[in-house]
Every structure is written in C-alpha cells, then in structure tokens.
Amino acid sequence: MKNYILFFLAIFTLTTFCSCDDGRIYEKEVDIQRGGRAMKLTGRFSGISNWTDDYSVVVAGFNDKSEYAVITKSLPVNVADGTDIVMTLGGISDDVKSLKLCVISRLRECIVEFKTMEDEELTAVTDTILMDVGTLDVGMFSSIQSQVFDNRCVACHGQTGSASGNLFLTEDKSYHALVNQPAHKNSDILLVKPGSAEKSFLHLVLNRAGDTSMNHTDMLSEDEQPLLKLIDNWINEGIFLNNE
Ligand code: HEC
C-alpha cells in the first residue's frame, strides 16, 4: 500500500513539474504573438450603433490566405453620433497584409469596407500604423446606400436627374422613396415593408426573377451576395434602429 502511495506521489510530482515547464514555454509563445505592430485609428463617426447583432463595425487585419479576419477590434457602440474616436489595435503580426475599417459578419468576413491600408502603407511602418478616416457615417442604411445603390443602381435610378421605374435611389432620396411606399409596378406591394423583407418589392426585384420579371437578379455579382442579405437584414430589423 505504502508503495502505491509513493508511486502516485512520484507521478504527481512529475506531472506538476511538467506542467510548470509547459506553462513557461506557452507564456513565451503568447508574448511573441502579442508583439508585432499596432494601428491607431482616428475619426469622427456616426451610425456605429444602428447595426443589427449580426454585424460589427471593426478595425480588422486580414492575411492573404483567407477572407476571414485574423484579428479584429470593435469600435465602441453606444457612443453619440459625431463622437471623435481614437482607438488602438495591437499585436498585428507580420502575416497581416491588409488592415481595414469595415463591417464584419459573425463569420468575421468583411461585408462593407470603408477604408483599407495595404502593401507599402503597412510594410513601411515598423511600429504604429496610423489610419485617419476623417468624418464617416458607418450606419447600416448609409452602408447600403454607398455599397449598393451608389455603385450598382443610381446610374439608372436617379443620377442623371431622371429615374428608371420612377424610383430614385440617390442619397437623400432613397430612404423616403423606398420605405412604406407602394411599388410603381405593383401598387399592392410596398417597396420596403419594415419587418418583412420577403414581402418587400425591393427584395423580390433583386432576388426573385420569376415574381417580378424585372431582370434585376444579376445586378450584384457572386461576391456581392452578402449585400443582398444585408438589405434583407436591414428591412427585417435594422430599419427599426433609427438609421434614416
Ligand atoms: C441598367 C439600368 C438599371 C439598373 C442598373 C438598375 N435598375 Fe432598377 N429598374 C430599371 C428599370 C428600367 C426599371 C423599371 C422596369 C419596369 O418597370 O419593368 C427598374 C425598376 C426597379 C424597381 C421597381 C420600382 C417600382 O416601384 O416598380 C426596383 C425596386 C429597382 N429597380 C431596384 C433597383 C436596384 C436596388 C438596383 C441596384 C442594385 C437597380 N434597380 C439597378 C433599371 C435599372
């Protein structure tokens, strides 16, 4: 019996020493990862807090192997619009090839990109990389405006002063032209019905060719499909977060 106790005691002592050793090595590794460069973001922001839970406004680092961020830090929410923010993201390792101010999904994929720094802008800096974005509206609807309407729609819907289908999607007009307004093509359906993306004509036009015969379903490329989801999420929930 005594032998058994001694035996277990020996094993116990051994494992204790081993784990101590492990601990120290592990700590060293963590320290190395914590090194690297830092980035300092400055800007005056509005709209940070009118995103739904599926998204976060962040500064993020990406390597060249994957579209998912390898390091992120969220901007503070619940700050008043027009607040000046100074924020630091540390521990940016060498495999980070681009830094972005962007909106990421829960999978840490960049959905909306406001500012990107890459290549020499990063490699030339050995310690703190500065990103100054000036005054920026990063709100959910503002992002749909800049990423979707301005890029893919206004050429026909309003930029020239006249709008196809009588629908103005230019900034300042788009929100009021869409929300709770009957479609010109079918006055039984609202263009945007708050809370019901699938009953909104905007959703049908962009996603369901058969229902509207509008030839709009390929307006966004394969890569831009998350933007369709963004529009749906905005109609379903984001619209209630006061982001006009
Ligand atoms: C190449 C020109 C063109 C582009 C680009 C375009 N549209 Fe259209 N859109 C039209 C035309 C033309 C109509 C009217 C079609 C009809 O009445 O049959 C229309 C109609 C619509 C309607 C229905 C309006 C209503 O009240 O009946 C919606 C919604 C719409 N477009 C959304 C968009 C969105 C969102 C984009 C960008 C992703 C976009 N369109 C890009 C030409 C365009």
Side-chain angles (χ1 to χ4, degrees), residues 115-199:
K115 168 110 181 164
T116 299
M117 292 176 79
E118 52 196 357
D119 303 327
E120 301 86 58
E121 284 178 301
L122 297 194
T123 45
V125 183
T126 45
D127 46 14
T128 303
I129 301 152
L130 302 177
M131 183 189 274
D132 182 5
V133 295
T135 301
L136 202 59
D137 183 346
V138 295
M140 197 171 189
F141 184 72
S142 311
S143 297
I144 293 172
Q145 180 68 45
S146 61
Q147 306 287 308
V148 183
F149 298 163
D150 290 352
N151 285 343
R152 297 279 178 248
C153 319
V154 295
C156 298
H157 288 281
Q159 202 170 46
T160 57
S162 69
S164 294
N166 276 319
L167 177 65
F168 278 88
L169 292 176
T170 40
E171 202 185 343
D172 299 337
K173 288 199 179 152
S174 55
Y175 188 95
H176 295 286
L178 288 168
V179 178
N180 287 317
Q181 298 301 315
H184 301 87
K185 191 81 177 180
N186 180 348
S187 59
D188 291 340
I189 305 183
L190 297 177
L191 282 161
V192 166
K193 184 172 163 51
S196 309
E198 301 208 339
K199 292 192 181 131

Side-chain angles (χ1 to χ4, degrees), residues 21-36:
D21 224 21
D22 261 346
R24 278 202 294 273
I25 291 168
Y26 179 66
E27 266 170 31
K28 267 187 207 148
E29 277 175 2
V30 169
D31 273 350
I32 292 164
Q33 280 173 4
R34 281 208 186 126

